[in-house]
């Protein structure tokens, strides 16, 4: 069974940093592109970033470009999202997702940016 | 960027009704569309990919259709468990993988 378990969320002050992790199991992690998607409270889904299976290429939404960095460790079956210069509008549940004919999702981790 | 526009924003129907909602892309995306169901406090769940292919384990009352710029998701007989918000997503382009704004289904 495919499992994606996010961690690392929490409360952070504006301008601060946070690193999210997503532990994958039940499939060959290194075969798949992976994504981060976020959802602000009461709002819709917003795609954030994607990384190719071998980590060779990453792309970002304009809203996070230059502040967030996606990475992966295929030996540890883990996806990461380094978030710097956080803003109040980054407050959301962050989901990691496996890309293959649509997304398979983790349960999400809540990031709250507030002073 | 390709925009995805869903309608209606909210749909109210009765148990047993056939309901259909739509998703329009701002440019042609062939059949590179997925549909997700999201219940409150839960992660989205994949229902349909490639516009019309049912994900394994999803009830057959769900069906998808369309190509190009116009896509539909149909529930043939609405059940109480189907109360949720439904999102379409395009994955034709490398960047970004845009979602529609969602259709909330109520009974």
């Amino acid at each position: 069974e495919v499992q994606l378990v996010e961690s690392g969320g929490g409360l952070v002050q504006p301008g601060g940093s946070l690193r999210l992790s997503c532990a994958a199991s039940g499939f060959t992690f290194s075969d798949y592109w992976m994504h981060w998607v976020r959802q602000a409270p009461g709002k819709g889904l917003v795609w954030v970033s994607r990384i190719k299976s071998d980590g060779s290429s990453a792309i970002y939404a304009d809203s996070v470009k230059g502040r967030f960095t996606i990475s992966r460790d295929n030996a540890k079956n883990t996806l990461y999202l380094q978030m710097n210069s956080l803003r109040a509008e980054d407050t959301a549940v962050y989901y990691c997702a496996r890309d293959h004919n649509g997304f398979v999702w983790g349960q999400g981790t809540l990031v709250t940016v507030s002073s | 960027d390709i925009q995805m526009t869903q309608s209606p924003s909210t749909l109210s129907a009765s148990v047993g009704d056939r309901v259909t909602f739509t998703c329009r892309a701002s440019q042609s995306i062939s059949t590179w569309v997925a549909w997700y169901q999201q219940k409150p406090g839960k992660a989205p769940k994949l229902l349909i990919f490639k516009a019309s292919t049912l994900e394994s384990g999803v009830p057959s009352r769900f069906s998808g259709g369309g190509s190009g710029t116009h896509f539909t998701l149909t529930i043939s007989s609405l059940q109480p468990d189907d109360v949720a918000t439904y999102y379409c997503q395009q994955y034709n382009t490398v960047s970004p993988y845009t979602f529609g704004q969602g259709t909330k289904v109520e009974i």
Side-chain angles (χ1 to χ4, degrees):
Chain A
E1 179 193 2
V2 173
Q3 277 209 316
L4 298 167
V5 180
E6 300 93 335
S7 61
L11 175 64
V12 60
Q13 291 189 337
S17 298
L18 214 53
R19 188 176 86 152
L20 306 183
S21 299
C22 170
S25 61
F27 64 101
T28 304
F29 180 69
S30 58
D31 284 349
Y32 293 88
W33 292 15
M34 297 294 294
H35 299 253
W36 288 99
V37 178
R38 69 184 181 184
Q39 186 172 36
K43 302 297 184 182
L45 302 169
V46 177
W47 175 84
V48 172
S49 182
R50 182 273 288 153
I51 188 167
K52 288 189 174 180
S53 55
D54 62 359
S56 63
S57 171
I59 55 173
Y60 301 90
D62 287 345
S63 58
V64 307
K65 203 172 294 183
R67 300 188 298 124
F68 290 11
T69 303
I70 190 172
S71 63
R72 63 192 296 160
D73 185 335
N74 285 344
K76 295 183 177 179
N77 293 337
T78 303
L79 176 72
Y80 302 101
L81 185 67
Q82 178 66 44
M83 304 186 294
N84 298 332
S85 303
L86 283 161
R87 307 166 180 167
E89 54 265 36
D90 295 320
T91 294
V93 174
Y94 285 73
Y95 296 100
C96 68
R98 187 190 78 171
D99 182 350
H100 181 67
N101 287 322
F103 285 6
V104 174
W105 305 70
Q107 87 289 347
T109 187
L110 176 62
V111 172
T112 303
V113 184
S114 175
S115 55
Chain B
D1 294 356
I2 296 175
Q3 307 302 317
M4 304 294 282
T5 303
Q6 290 186 242
S7 61
S9 296
T10 305
L11 186 156
S12 185
S14 300
V15 173
D17 283 354
R18 179 183 181 90
V19 299
T20 297
F21 27 97
T22 66
C23 183
R24 290 188 182 273
S26 58
Q27 59 186 269
S28 179
I29 53 173
S30 183
T31 56
W32 299 112
V33 165
W35 289 92
Y36 302 91
Q37 176 194 65
Q38 187 179 34
K39 297 183 179 181
K42 301 294 186 181
K45 173 188 173 184
L46 178 64
L47 298 176
I48 301 275
F49 61 91
K50 203 83 186 307
S52 61
T53 303
L54 197 67
E55 173 71 349
S56 175
V58 173
S60 59
R61 64 180 180 274
F62 291 92
S63 63
S67 65
T69 62
H70 184 227
F71 303 89
T72 60
L73 177 67
T74 297
I75 308 173
S76 61
S77 177
L78 189 66
Q79 301 300 306
D81 189 51
D82 300 335
V83 169
T85 300
Y86 294 84
Y87 294 92
C88 62
Q89 176 203 28
Q90 68 85 13
Y91 55 103
N92 178 63
T93 56
V94 173
S95 172
Y97 293 62
T98 41
F99 293 89
Q101 78 278 18
T103 292
K104 186 175 182 180
V105 173
E106 301 172 337
I107 291 181

